[in-house]
Amino acid sequence: MASFADAARFLLLTAVGIAGNPSTADAASASPVSGWRSDLDWAALTSKLSSSASLIDTSYDDYAGECLPEFSLPIQSRTNHALIDQPSGMCLPHLYLGWEMSWPRPSENGHLNQTFNQAYQDILDLINDASTDVESWLADPTNPSLNLPSKVLFPVVASDVVAAVNFAKEHGLEISVKNSGHSLQGASSKKNTLLLNMNRYIHYAPTGITDCDASILGSTVAEDLSTQ
């Protein structure tokens, strides 16, 4: 369960806009050990998916290479759409959501032993640019606080979800689900889980979700959209 220190840290980081301006050079070059649950017959799951669905291996390298660069931009230049559309499907709205309890300080037990004073000092150091550790925490692919999945499935139709759930049930796997990715608890991106990224799921339209085209809408709506 999240502690007061955890909640305070996340709220303060969000309030002051510290999603970080990390250096990505060292982070992107790191390569963690791959092959999560290689003992399982993943081909059996793939064979039951629709032709448009995809099951991919993911790692910290994907998060570092695809997601960190967006957070290196000025806050006003960042866009969640750029994060959502990354091929690994792991990017999250805030940089630190990729670590347990939204904080990259290395911890073997999900920060359960971290005190409020330590969390508060971490925040002060970060605000005052006094922390010398944060970038090394962010760049470490072996950081035990990393909270990222190693398998991501992009379902397209309901049968893809059914196949994934049945496979997970058969093999005792935990499933995480990502829509927009706004989850302080890490429910939308959790290590040692099969992540279902619903970004490509066709549900409300036979050809998928498309952007509105003001030119085919009524004049009132089109005029309103033109000022947005």
Side-chain angles (χ1 to χ4, degrees):
M1 179 174 293
S3 67
F4 176 75
D6 297 321
R9 177 176 59 247
F10 178 77
L11 290 174
L12 281 172
L13 289 172
T14 302
V16 298
I18 300 179
N21 288 312
S23 170
T24 61
D26 293 335
S29 65
S31 296
V33 176
S34 60
W36 178 72
R37 295 308 308 267
S38 58
D39 57 306
L40 301 181
D41 186 3
W42 292 100
L45 171 57
T46 302
S47 69
K48 297 179 181 179
L49 300 177
S50 64
S51 59
S52 298
S54 60
L55 175 66
I56 62 174
D57 290 305
T58 54
S59 70
Y60 168 80
D61 281 358
D62 296 308
Y63 194 76
E66 297 174 3
C67 315
L68 267 64
E70 188 69 19
F71 294 109
S72 297
L73 300 174
I75 293 177
Q76 65 272 18
S77 299
R78 301 173 193 169
T79 166
N80 198 38
H81 288 287
L83 296 167
I84 290 174
D85 293 335
Q86 293 298 327
S88 72
M90 291 203 301
C91 294
L92 300 161
H94 303 287
L95 172 64
Y96 295 147
L97 291 179
W99 287 260
E100 289 180 310
M101 297 316 302
S102 307
W103 188 235
R105 172 183 283 278
S107 172
E108 297 287 350
N109 61 3
H111 305 291
L112 290 179
N113 295 335
Q114 185 170 15
T115 65
F116 175 80
N117 287 340
Q118 185 183 55
Y120 183 68
Q121 188 60 52
D122 282 344
I123 294 171
L124 290 181
D125 289 344
L126 199 58
I127 292 174
N128 296 320
D129 291 325
S131 176
T132 59
D133 299 318
V134 174
E135 286 204 6
S136 65
W137 298 340
L138 293 174
D140 182 5
T142 64
N143 187 334
S145 294
L146 274 169
N147 201 30
L148 300 171
S150 298
K151 288 281 187 181
V152 176
L153 171 64
F154 291 90
V156 177
V157 294
S159 61
D160 296 330
V161 178
V162 172
V165 171
N166 287 339
F167 185 85
K169 181 179 179 180
E170 178 183 355
H171 297 288
L173 300 179
E174 186 176 353
I175 284 178
S176 54
V177 180
K178 182 176 184 292
N179 291 310
S180 63
H182 292 74
S183 174
L184 170 59
Q185 294 179 334
S188 58
S189 180
K190 187 178 181 182
K191 62 185 175 184
N192 298 325
T193 66
L194 170 59
L195 173 64
L196 304 188
N197 185 305
M198 306 304 292
N199 192 39
R200 303 174 192 170
Y201 185 71
I202 300 172
H203 182 65
Y204 298 106
T207 57
I209 305 303
T210 59
D211 291 331
C212 291
D213 184 350
S215 65
I216 64 175
L217 302 174
S219 59
T220 301
V221 176
E223 182 180 354
D224 182 62
L225 287 175
S226 69
T227 63
Q228 300 301 311

